[in-house]
Amino acid sequence: MPHPLRIELQGEALDLHAERALFWPRRRTLIVADVHLGKDAVFRRAGLPIPAGAVATDLARLEALVDRFAPERLLVLGDLLHAPIHASDTAWIEQVSAFRARHASLAFDVVRGNHDRAPERVPSAWGLRWLEDGAHEAPFVFMHDARDDDRGYALGGHLHPVMRLNSATDSLRLPVFWLRAGYGVLPSFGGFTGGYPIGSRVARGERAYAATPEGVIEIASTRRRRPGEARGR
């Protein structure tokens, strides 16, 4: 597993990991966004030939991160689920339940996202604490769709930011941690998710860190964002 990249944000040390996760050492908190558990099953119910295994793969990645950082808390910044749990979701529900049983002492907090519908269907054995209105933990404000907040620097998900890096002969599309002036957006943790392109260059005053198979790398800031330029959906 690649080593994390330590950065400083709002006076706090944070570790960015290539598995698209953030660790906050002072609070012993592992933070991810947009896991979208069960998305592959939703597609299969719609008749699309999507192979099973996405949840098991994501849980294995998450377990490796828990082993690496030994957190006291797992915080999901929205969209833990992709859709309300269905009666046919037995297999992946059991996989998540087994993960929780192996890490029963790990606090599990979830900022409720737009996909987290019908939370009452989530098994009580998962021990989730739903944060309906996010959470303010100075100097950060945790939410799903990050935006400027007077209480502190906001961290969220929702956008699934990606960046395309181009050379003369090739290009790469990489998930990124996108740190803007007043808020930051984590890449989607789930392996079966799309991505929102934020451009091929970083605006001045912003920071972007790309998750690569070898580790997290900082993308140099090379352009100014035009006045009124949209921040995304």
Side-chain angles (χ1 to χ4, degrees):
M1 175 175 280
H3 291 294
L5 176 68
R6 175 154 292 189
I7 66 168
E8 183 176 303
L9 183 64
Q10 300 294 300
E12 292 285 335
L14 300 176
D15 292 332
L16 308 183
H17 199 277
E19 290 291 0
R20 306 190 293 280
L22 180 156
F23 182 62
W24 187 6
R26 184 171 68 84
R27 296 296 299 266
R28 305 300 305 169
T29 297
L30 180 64
I31 305 172
V32 299
D34 301 285
V35 186
H36 287 273
L37 292 173
K39 183 176 180 178
D40 57 334
V42 171
F43 276 58
R44 285 193 297 276
R45 284 197 294 273
L48 298 175
I50 303 298
V55 171
T57 298
D58 288 341
L59 288 175
R61 293 169 49 227
L62 189 58
E63 191 134 30
L65 288 165
V66 170
D67 291 343
R68 168 67 177 78
F69 291 108
E72 295 176 357
R73 174 176 63 154
L74 173 62
L75 173 61
V76 179
L77 300 181
D79 290 355
L80 172 69
L81 307 173
H82 183 71
I85 289 176
H86 189 268
S88 63
D89 288 334
T90 305
W92 71 259
I93 292 293
E94 290 178 350
Q95 292 168 358
V96 179
S97 297
F99 167 83
R100 284 302 288 147
R102 291 192 297 272
H103 303 283
S105 63
L106 180 69
F108 199 159
D109 293 347
V110 182
V111 175
R112 189 170 174 185
N114 56 297
H115 278 269
D116 292 315
R117 301 183 295 276
E120 68 279 0
R121 299 185 190 177
V122 173
S124 59
W126 291 7
L128 302 188
R129 182 172 68 130
W130 291 100
L131 306 177
E132 296 286 343
D133 300 313
H136 176 211
E137 300 178 24
F140 302 120
V141 182
F142 298 115
M143 57 182 70
H144 180 49
D145 187 6
R147 58 192 179 278
D148 291 334
D149 193 294
D150 292 338
R151 295 173 295 171
Y153 189 89
L155 287 172
H158 184 57
L159 291 179
H160 308 183
V162 297
M163 178 175 284
R164 186 169 292 280
L165 305 182
N166 300 303
S167 72
T169 59
D170 206 350
S171 68
L172 289 173
R173 185 173 181 269
L174 298 170
V176 295
F177 299 84
W178 189 24
L179 304 183
R180 308 195 68 188
Y183 61 88
V185 186
L186 273 65
S188 61
F189 182 80
F192 189 52
T193 57
Y196 173 79
I198 66 169
S200 60
R201 292 180 292 176
V202 183
R204 298 191 187 279
E206 299 182 355
R207 287 186 280 170
Y209 299 88
T212 80
E214 289 74 34
V216 176
I217 59 172
E218 183 171 9
I219 307 300
S221 175
T222 56
R223 72 175 176 91
R224 293 186 181 277
R225 186 169 296 280
R226 295 186 297 273
E229 184 175 350
R231 73 176 183 90
R233 63 179 174 83

